[in-house]
């Protein structure tokens, strides 16, 4: 399930499965999340081209909460920062590097091996339908420059 079209098709099938009507707003939100593999912030979603002109922020927020409750999407909360949303499709990589200062979020490509290891361990404990979500928090290079803060490891003993 690699392409945006595949992810979007997965989302529509999932809606059918859980008997969730696909309204125009829901379709637009799901399509946006399917296009982006990385989590999208609420702000980025409401500013996105097709959504901006057709849905107000309150509608988008309600839609997100409903899709989250139905487990079609997941919410990644950042401390004191905005929330990010990502499609729950099976291929979603859930390993993120998150800046504690600016809230930027990027994929931490640890690869499938980490995911498989976690799933094998979980299965050995009798868990099913598992997924791995890994969030590594720190300061991005840009924020370190602005804060005039080097690596914590480099400065620890100076
Ligand atoms: Zn930052």
């Amino acid at each position: 399930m690699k392409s945006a079209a595949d992810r979007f098709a997965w989302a529509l099938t999932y809606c059918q499965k859980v008997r969730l009507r696909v309204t125009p707003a829901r379709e637009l939100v799901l399509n946006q999340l399917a296009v982006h593999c990385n989590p999208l912030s609420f702000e980025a979603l409401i500013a996105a081209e097709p959504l901006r002109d057709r849905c107000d922020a309150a509608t988008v927020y309600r839609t997100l909460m409903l899709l989250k409750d139905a487990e079609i999407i997941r919410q990644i909360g950042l401390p004191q920062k905005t929330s990010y949303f990502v499609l729950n499709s099976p291929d979603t990589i859930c390993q993120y590097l998150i800046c504690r200062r600016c809230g930027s979020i990027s994929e931490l490509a640890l690869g499938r091996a980490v995911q498989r290891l976690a799933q094998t361990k979980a299965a050995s404990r009798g868990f099913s339908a598992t997924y791995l979500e890994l969030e590594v928090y720190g300061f991005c290079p840009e924020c370190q420059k602005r804060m005039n803060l080097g690596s914590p490891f480099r400065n620890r003993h100076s």
Side-chain angles (χ1 to χ4, degrees):
M1 200 186 278
K2 290 276 177 255
S3 74
D6 286 344
R7 281 193 293 276
F8 186 54
W10 171 87
L12 295 181
T13 306
Y14 196 103
C15 284
Q16 249 175 12
K17 211 170 77 181
V18 298
R19 297 191 179 167
L20 191 70
R21 203 161 55 86
V22 183
T23 62
R26 290 171 197 171
E27 189 174 341
L28 285 170
V29 167
L30 287 172
N31 194 43
Q32 270 305 305
L33 292 174
V35 167
H36 299 269
C37 294
N38 278 334
L40 271 184
S41 69
F42 176 68
E43 287 75 13
L45 259 171
I46 56 173
E49 195 54 71
L51 268 169
R52 196 176 54 197
D53 306 325
R54 292 192 230 165
C55 302
D56 57 70
T59 304
V60 173
Y61 188 78
R62 272 198 313 273
T63 303
L64 286 167
M65 291 304 114
L66 189 124
L67 294 171
K68 191 182 82 167
D69 287 345
E71 297 194 349
I72 299 168
I73 66 170
R74 284 184 296 108
Q75 181 175 6
I76 298 156
L78 302 184
Q80 300 153 350
K81 295 284 174 194
T82 184
S83 279
Y84 283 81
F85 297 89
V86 66
L87 208 61
N88 231 351
S89 63
D91 68 324
T92 309
I93 305 246
C94 316
Q95 302 160 0
Y96 308 118
L97 203 49
I98 299 167
C99 179
R100 289 163 54 198
R101 191 166 187 259
C102 69
S104 72
I105 186 164
S106 55
E107 197 179 299
L108 179 68
L110 295 178
R112 298 268 174 222
V114 174
Q115 215 123 341
R116 272 197 296 271
L117 177 67
Q119 268 155 358
T120 306
K121 292 270 185 195
S124 76
R125 302 270 304 268
F127 273 63
S128 70
T130 54
Y131 66 87
L132 171 75
E133 189 164 277
L134 185 67
E135 291 158 26
V136 177
Y137 292 92
F139 298 114
C140 75
E142 289 306 309
C143 284
Q144 285 179 56
K145 265 184 240 159
R146 271 181 239 128
M147 294 155 73
N148 208 3
L149 210 157
S151 155
F153 302 107
R154 223 186 305 146
N155 295 340
R156 185 168 287 166
H157 302 292
S158 62

